[in-house]
Amino acid sequence: MHYNIWNFFCTEENYPYWQEQIQQSQEFNRITWEKIRDFLCVIERHNPLSHQLLQAHNLEQFIQIARNKGYQLTQEELAWFVIIQKQIWDCLALAQKTPSLKQQLLSTRNPDEFIKIAVAQGYYFSQKELAWLLIDIKSLSSLVSINNSTGDTFVFPNIDGIEMGYWLELAEKWGLVPPFSNLSQPGNGLFGDEQDPFFLKQCFLPRGYFNQRLLINSL
């Protein structure tokens, strides 16, 4: 998904530098997160642009190609998006292969406890950044969220060997991630609090939910 931008930030020689820069920089917001996420989604579907970006020999050239196509990105924004995601994924990957750590994280009562354990393991990310990543994952078409309390079965794909269902269920229990994927839409304010992420008009079921649920019930 991230093409060669991983090489610009995550190689052995580049990663320590950018990790330090991110920790010292100001916190970016959700608008920046969504801007970069949407840019990466676009280049997945845009073969000519993807090809041009793959030919970039360095970060400056990559950003210039993107800007020529109307995407205003900075090195710091891209570094933040990539480094933070790597920190979260590395933390979850370590938990996946370390039962004691996994149980410790799954036993946390709130996001603060989770973040403190992650920091103790050398991983740095905020509650908001964790929430944004999990909400993005929950929006995937292959993802189905079914509440166990109704007697249904949880069905989640493994992503790079990580069983995401545990972490999504935990984040929902905290209230960090809405029970359905959040969808921000402008509204006229006639049907409730537009700023409430749990407001029904602001949420949607993952694409393919009903088809997959029917498949599960037929097994």
Side-chain angles (χ1 to χ4, degrees):
M1 174 181 181
H2 293 60
Y3 295 94
N4 55 341
I5 64 172
W6 282 103
N7 294 329
F8 300 142
F9 304 112
C10 296
T11 57
E12 186 175 346
E13 63 272 18
N14 291 334
Y15 189 69
Y17 169 79
W18 284 110
Q19 187 178 17
E20 182 178 355
Q21 294 299 308
I22 292 306
Q23 290 179 15
Q24 295 177 355
S25 67
Q26 62 180 357
E27 182 179 342
F28 292 98
N29 57 31
R30 185 171 182 174
I31 294 175
T32 305
W33 179 280
E34 292 179 348
K35 177 179 72 171
I36 299 174
R37 180 203 64 197
D38 292 346
F39 165 71
L40 295 174
C41 289
V42 166
I43 63 177
E44 279 190 342
R45 302 189 300 266
H46 195 297
N47 290 333
L49 178 56
S50 302
H51 179 73
Q52 290 181 51
L53 292 171
L54 283 169
Q55 304 306 310
H57 298 297
N58 52 56
L59 180 56
E60 292 76 10
Q61 188 177 2
F62 184 98
I63 289 177
Q64 189 57 54
I65 293 171
R67 286 180 176 173
N68 290 342
K69 296 297 182 179
Y71 299 98
Q72 299 301 316
L73 306 170
T74 68
Q75 294 186 24
E76 292 75 20
E77 289 173 343
L78 283 172
W80 165 70
F81 187 87
V82 172
I83 297 297
I84 288 300
Q85 288 211 32
K86 179 171 171 54
Q87 289 279 297
I88 297 173
W89 284 118
D90 286 352
C91 180
L92 298 182
L94 179 62
Q96 187 70 35
K97 61 183 181 183
T98 311
S100 58
L101 176 60
K102 183 177 182 180
Q103 184 56 44
Q104 187 181 11
L105 289 169
L106 289 174
S107 299
T108 53
R109 294 166 296 181
N110 53 61
D112 285 333
E113 291 184 5
F114 189 98
I115 297 297
K116 287 179 181 178
I117 295 171
V119 170
Q121 297 295 324
Y123 301 109
Y124 299 90
F125 49 86
S126 70
Q127 294 182 29
K128 290 180 180 179
E129 291 161 344
L130 177 61
W132 298 336
L133 176 61
L134 291 177
I135 289 173
D136 284 350
I137 292 170
K138 197 170 181 181
S139 301
L140 295 174
S141 60
S142 59
L143 188 63
V144 179
S145 176
I146 302 177
N147 192 341
N148 247 349
S149 65
T150 66
D152 291 320
T153 304
F154 274 95
V155 176
F156 293 98
N158 288 349
I159 301 178
D160 292 332
I162 300 172
E163 298 170 321
M164 294 307 303
Y166 292 109
W167 312 113
L168 287 164
E169 183 181 8
L170 180 65
E172 287 180 5
K173 183 174 71 175
W174 294 334
L176 191 66
V177 171
F180 299 116
S181 299
N182 183 268
L183 177 64
S184 297
Q185 290 181 331
N188 55 19
L190 297 178
F191 302 100
D193 183 2
E194 294 288 338
Q195 301 304 313
D196 181 2
F198 293 90
F199 178 45
L200 184 60
K201 190 170 180 243
Q202 294 289 98
C203 299
F204 68 98
L205 287 167
R207 295 181 295 275
Y209 174 86
F210 292 106
N211 289 338
Q212 293 179 48
R213 182 168 179 139
L214 286 172
L215 176 61
I216 294 162
N217 290 338
S218 67
L219 295 179

